Amino acid sequence: MSQSATAHPFMANSLASIKQEMLDAVGVQDIEALFEQIPTAHRLAELPELMGAMRSEMALGRHLKDILARNRNCADTLSFLGGGCWRHHVPAICNEIVGRSEFLTSVWGTPSSDQGRCQAWFEFSSQLGELVNCDYVGLPVYSWGCAAGHALRMASRLTGRRVVLLPEIIDPERLAVIRNYCEPAMTGELTIEFIAADPASGGLDLHDLRARLDERVAAVYLEMPSYFGLIEAAVEEVAALVHGQGAEFVVGVDPISLGVLAPPPDYGADIVVGTTQTLGIPMYGGGGLGGFIATRDEERYAREYPTLLISLTTTLRPGERGFGLSLAEQSSYGARENGKDWTGNSVYLWAIANAVYMSLMGPQGFREVGELIVSQAHAAARRLGELPGVAIRHGEAFFKEFVVDFNASGKTVAAINEALVARGIFGGHDLSGEFPGLGQCALYCVTELHDDADLDRLIQTLSEVLSHD
């Protein structure tokens, strides 16, 4: 930018004279010298065509609104997308509470000065612990994938072993995060092996599990429901096999399902992980959706948590209670690079929303929403399966999500979804690229927000799309 060019008054470093002063201080001739270590193949050959500077707030506002208007979102479009981020009802009070200045601006402070924040976090841990039937719950991490990665490393430290077994059917994005946690050699590399899926049920192939389980295995990871929404029928047998080899059984769970499904410790889970997005957090992108880690209240587990933990205790005054952080010295906050694992606080505010949501729902609320989801999802699957050229894979033991098979229709999922979008509907997530062995299949998601009219519209529209040449 030339000296005479207009610059924003609060961006003084954009002026040419100041840029040159900084370059002189660094000892280089021009800005390019600072980027010479970046390979040429990784740099743009020519600058992108950018719009000119805007001279007013009104013009900028109009420009941004025009860009945003090109988006199609799940709030304004009938959506059957899921696969890791789901549209559930978020009570208005959740956003109201997390937007209060007491929480929104209280990023950090000493435990003694932030008793309100610590109490809210304690309520989050207590309520989530009751929901998943665990006594020990850490503060949330960025996502379900992060929680799973942490848990598998916890299992490795507990057992001294280096192999972890994962299901073949798993969310590719979640798997990518787990790989980031397990495979860097600099932090103690873990080897990931995959358990084959039973073609008929979509569950674990127990013969393959038995063949892979040995004294090398630190943990077996299973999700309930699975990425395909399936309920593993042989989960207790899986737990027995895992424990028989001295390994840890790590189970990932969608907590909104626990009004109708048994919590993981009831069928043998040692470490429970999962998402917190379904507990009062809207769909969004660009940040963590929230994940949790929970275990039994045993010191061997507590000593391996990488997260912050909130405790309640008495004070010198009779009847008074205070809150504080437990075992903070073993986290990356206390031990820095020597911590159990790296953790951060980008989703701690969401823990407040989660606590509000769980307090509103209560046991009866979770039961009712779970039953409604099961009812609507199975009604949708039944009606979809009646369409010509459409079938439902893997039976009826599923929660919220299910695999719809379009192979016999003669159309690709991509073409079907394109036609649905043109009619104002987001179809199911296309699985043909992630799991090519399934052919043309899609993962459909139905929640408590889908009423009978939504299902009618989907069936009618999809029928038109499938019958159109």
Side-chain angles (χ1 to χ4, degrees), residues 224-457:
M224 185 86 107
S226 73
Y227 179 50
F228 288 174
L230 302 172
I231 310 303
E232 177 62 62
V235 66
E236 292 182 346
E237 185 176 355
V238 172
L241 291 171
V242 173
H243 293 150
Q245 288 292 337
E248 295 290 312
F249 188 27
V250 182
V251 174
V253 68
D254 177 354
I256 205 169
S257 70
L258 296 178
V260 293
L261 298 180
D266 287 15
Y267 46 81
D270 300 304
I271 305 176
V272 182
V273 300
T275 182
T276 63
Q277 186 263 319
T278 55
L279 304 177
I281 300 176
M283 299 178 79
Y284 76 103
L289 292 172
F292 71 88
I293 307 171
T295 64
R296 296 186 293 275
D297 186 7
E298 296 177 8
E299 186 172 355
R300 64 188 295 265
Y301 289 107
R303 291 293 180 183
E304 298 304 335
Y305 269 77
T307 62
L308 290 180
L309 301 152
I310 298 294
S311 290
L312 171 69
T313 187
T314 58
T315 72
L316 295 175
R317 296 181 181 178
E320 186 179 66
R321 293 179 175 177
F323 301 89
L325 301 179
S326 298
L327 302 178
E329 72 278 1
Q330 71 188 29
S331 72
S332 57
Y333 289 108
R336 297 304 179 186
E337 70 275 9
N338 296 318
K340 296 293 183 181
D341 260 328
W342 188 86
T343 188
N345 69 346
S346 77
V347 294
Y348 289 176
L349 183 63
W350 283 137
I352 310 298
N354 299 147
V356 173
Y357 181 88
M358 288 186 285
S359 67
L360 288 172
M361 294 289 284
Q364 183 62 29
F366 275 101
R367 185 177 303 112
E368 290 175 357
V369 74
E371 291 174 348
L372 180 56
I373 290 172
V374 169
S375 174
Q376 292 299 90
H378 280 74
R382 184 172 57 254
R383 297 182 64 183
L384 284 167
E386 294 171 352
L387 293 174
V390 179
I392 304 301
R393 284 285 190 103
H394 308 313
E396 298 182 352
F398 61 83
F399 177 84
K400 186 168 72 175
E401 294 176 284
F402 50 92
V403 177
V404 181
D405 187 336
F406 291 101
N407 284 293
S409 72
K411 294 180 179 292
T412 65
V413 173
I416 292 170
N417 283 349
E418 183 179 357
L420 288 175
V421 167
R423 293 163 171 81
I425 297 176
F426 289 149
H429 175 61
D430 190 346
L431 296 173
S432 61
E434 298 171 357
F435 299 91
L438 293 177
Q440 295 302 315
C441 287
L443 184 64
Y444 270 70
C445 174
V446 176
T447 74
E448 75 279 12
L449 292 177
H450 293 96
D451 59 22
D452 292 342
D454 294 329
L455 301 187
D456 290 341
R457 182 181 169 196

Side-chain angles (χ1 to χ4, degrees), residues 67-125:
I67 292 177
L68 291 172
R70 285 149 46 187
N71 288 339
R72 299 285 294 274
N73 61 66
C74 294
D76 300 330
T77 304
L78 178 58
S79 174
F80 295 91
L81 290 170
C85 184
W86 306 270
R87 188 165 178 258
H88 287 282
H89 175 60
V90 178
I93 193 172
C94 292
N95 293 328
E96 177 66 24
I97 295 297
V98 298
R100 290 183 62 88
S101 61
E102 300 96 316
F103 294 123
L104 188 61
T105 62
S106 179
V107 175
W108 198 248
T110 63
S112 59
S113 68
D114 284 348
Q115 289 294 288
R117 177 207 65 184
C118 287
Q119 181 174 355
W121 286 348
F122 184 84
E123 297 296 339
F124 161 81
S125 298

Side-chain angles (χ1 to χ4, degrees), residues 117-193:
R117 177 207 65 184
C118 287
Q119 181 174 355
W121 286 348
F122 184 84
E123 297 296 339
F124 161 81
S125 298
S126 300
Q127 292 178 101
L128 186 55
E130 184 173 352
L131 186 61
V132 300
N133 195 21
C134 290
D135 296 317
Y136 212 76
V137 181
L139 286 186
V141 294
Y142 293 124
S143 68
W144 185 342
C146 293
H150 280 308
L152 293 173
R153 294 188 63 80
M154 287 173 64
S156 177
R157 294 193 294 269
L158 285 163
T159 62
R161 302 173 180 181
R162 292 291 183 183
V163 175
V164 294
L165 303 183
L166 273 60
E168 184 179 59
I169 296 175
I170 188 171
D171 179 354
E173 290 188 4
R174 192 173 304 136
L175 175 60
V177 176
I178 292 174
R179 287 191 188 279
N180 284 340
Y181 277 81
C182 292
E183 296 187 348
M186 59 192 295
T187 56
E189 182 176 6
L190 305 185
T191 299
I192 297 174
E193 295 183 4

